[in-house]
Amino acid sequence: MNLVEKILARASGRDSVEPGEIVVAKVDRLIMHDLSGYLTSQVYEKRVNVPIPDPERAVMVFDHHFAPPTEQQADVLQHNRRWARKHGLKLYDCGNGNLHHAVVRNGHIKPGMIVVGSDSHTPVHGTMGALAVALGNDSHAGTVLPYGKAWFKVPETTRVHLEGTPKPGVTPRDIALWLVGRIGEGALNYRAVEFGGPYVRALSFWDRWLFPLLCVDLGAKCSFVEPDEVTEAFVRTLPGGDAGLLVHGDGEEAAQVLRFDVGEVDPTVACPPTVGNVKPVAEVAGTPVQYAELGGHGGGRLEDFRAAAEVLAGHKVHPDTRFHLVPSSREVFAEAAREGLVLALHEAGATWFPPSTGSNQAYNMGAMASDETMISTHARNFPGRNGSPDASMYLASSATVAASAVAGVIASSVHTGGKA
């Protein structure tokens, strides 16, 4: 059995499971942001309305309404605070970071866990060697909170094997976006996707993170990286510091294996209207951008701010572009401050925002007019995602975003005058 199958077998009290079987399994962690927490609470209080028997199972992070601009949004947060206090749920209030980074940084995700959340990017926790899937809010209220369980159909597994040496200037984010275009949006419907191979093994934890993050765009149910010494070393840096229920697959071949040479990849950008519409940066270089942002589930890492500081050294943000920086967690902001990145990027003309999910859906920032364009490290670029449905959103690596902020147009290098 592979990692996903072993986790499902353990959690359902079975010796083994097979793809296609349906099992009822114990859920170790439920994660909610302020929007999903509000919807879950409404259903729970109206239809279940009993004390939550195992409240430590659930964690809520306020990351969308991180500075509510209206009374209605403030009321949502107040409702969530009261609900969390009533049931003893763990709550991280505004300014703690975006949901997925905050729960990892605070030690709530361990290898071998089953993690559920309504956010579509919940499968990113497969980077930790967990089985992480997105479930609807009604499932949270109806089965996970009162019973600590959920049902799962055991998925078939596709292994994405990455090898080769990237070209200069090509980052893991470029390769992750390129893969969505090569494999195809929705092509791996309800499958478990394992990212492996020598290229993945050589990556740091936070660079590996960028691959399971995009599994939802492939149509997959979940995604994972087989735990190894990189996983274990990272877990030891977290509160609690133990490796949890560390699970390893048996190394058997997946039902489907897709092999790719990362040496084929150029600096890449996902163009409107979907994540799978990927092109080399060179094909869209020179497109004016009014916003550049490092943030979201795919950005706001310390690695992103380091890359931006390197790109902006000796340069200033273009006067026609706003460069927004959104740390993924309080820990990342503190580390960036200690390294001098906060001051360096501030003096270069960038603007820092509170640790959160940033301009995701423009709840608190980043709303665009119909004729504006943003390039960012976010995970989504659908029409209307950030303001007007006629505005344009491009997704790229932190280096490309930073270079574009300096050039005022999409660019992969500040030395090219806007030409990649």
Side-chain angles (χ1 to χ4, degrees), residues 88-417:
L89 306 181
K90 182 64 178 179
L91 171 64
Y92 291 93
D93 214 307
C94 303
N96 276 283
N98 79 55
L99 170 65
H100 299 303
H101 288 258
V103 294
V104 167
R105 286 281 187 166
N106 287 281
H108 295 291
I109 310 298
K110 301 289 186 184
M113 279 186 168
I114 290 184
V115 180
V116 300
S118 60
D119 186 80
S120 62
H121 293 99
T122 300
V124 72
H125 298 290
T127 314
M128 288 283 285
L131 168 57
V133 301
L135 295 181
N137 298 304
D138 285 5
S139 294
H140 299 162
T143 65
V144 177
L145 286 172
Y147 302 110
K149 295 180 179 180
W151 68 267
F152 302 86
K153 181 180 178 181
V154 182
E156 287 195 334
T157 299
T158 294
R159 176 180 171 85
V160 177
H161 180 92
L162 301 179
E163 58 189 5
T165 302
K167 297 175 184 177
V170 172
T171 72
R173 174 68 165 177
D174 294 303
I175 294 167
L177 290 171
W178 177 83
L179 281 173
V180 178
R182 282 294 301 271
I183 296 171
E185 292 177 285
L188 302 181
N189 187 43
Y190 210 95
R191 299 183 78 90
V193 181
E194 177 187 2
F195 288 100
Y199 174 75
V200 174
R201 290 294 175 200
L203 294 176
S204 68
F205 176 85
W206 287 113
D207 280 343
R208 293 178 178 185
W209 176 271
L210 300 173
F211 292 89
L213 176 73
L214 293 172
C215 91
V216 63
D217 300 294
L218 302 173
K221 183 65 176 177
C222 60
S223 183
F224 66 96
V225 177
E226 184 73 26
D228 60 6
E229 63 278 1
V230 172
T231 315
E232 295 183 47
F234 175 73
V235 170
R236 285 195 292 271
T237 69
L238 302 174
D242 65 272
L245 298 168
L246 193 62
V247 177
H248 295 279
D250 293 332
E252 60 190 37
E253 205 63 278
Q256 179 186 33
V257 180
L258 304 177
R259 298 179 180 274
F260 299 97
D261 181 351
V262 300
E264 299 178 15
V265 185
D266 293 309
T268 296
V269 61
C271 305
T274 66
V275 180
N277 185 23
V278 298
K279 298 178 182 179
V281 175
E283 291 190 17
V284 295
T287 302
V289 292
Q290 288 73 48
Y291 290 95
E293 183 177 334
L294 300 184
H297 303 320
R301 308 166 304 153
L302 187 63
E303 291 83 349
D304 298 311
F305 300 131
R306 287 170 174 165
E310 183 176 346
V311 170
L312 267 71
H315 300 279
K316 294 284 188 180
V317 174
H318 193 278
D320 294 334
T321 302
R322 276 74 69 195
F323 190 18
H324 294 167
L325 310 178
V326 188
S328 59
S329 66
R330 295 183 67 84
E331 293 80 7
V332 163
F333 185 70
E335 291 166 0
R338 284 192 288 268
E339 290 189 15
L341 302 175
V342 172
L343 181 60
L345 290 168
H346 171 79
E347 291 183 338
T351 301
W352 289 91
F353 283 79
S356 65
T357 197
S359 69
N360 184 2
Q361 302 176 64
Y363 280 107
N364 293 105
M365 59 177 285
M368 291 186 287
S370 60
D371 60 346
E372 290 187 308
T373 295
M374 178 186 292
I375 186 167
S376 80
T377 54
H378 275 270
R380 289 276 167 77
N381 64 338
F382 304 150
R385 181 76 172 177
N386 285 56
S388 170
D390 295 321
S392 297
M393 170 76 84
Y394 293 80
L395 308 177
S397 72
S398 51
T400 296
V401 171
S404 302
V406 172
V409 296
I410 294 178
S412 62
S413 168
V414 298
H415 303 295
T416 59

Side-chain angles (χ1 to χ4, degrees), residues 24-41:
V24 176
K26 176 179 177 291
V27 172
D28 300 292
R29 187 74 67 230
L30 165 61
I31 59 174
M32 301 173 284
H33 50 56
D34 40 321
L35 304 183
S36 62
Y38 181 75
L39 295 173
T40 296
S41 70

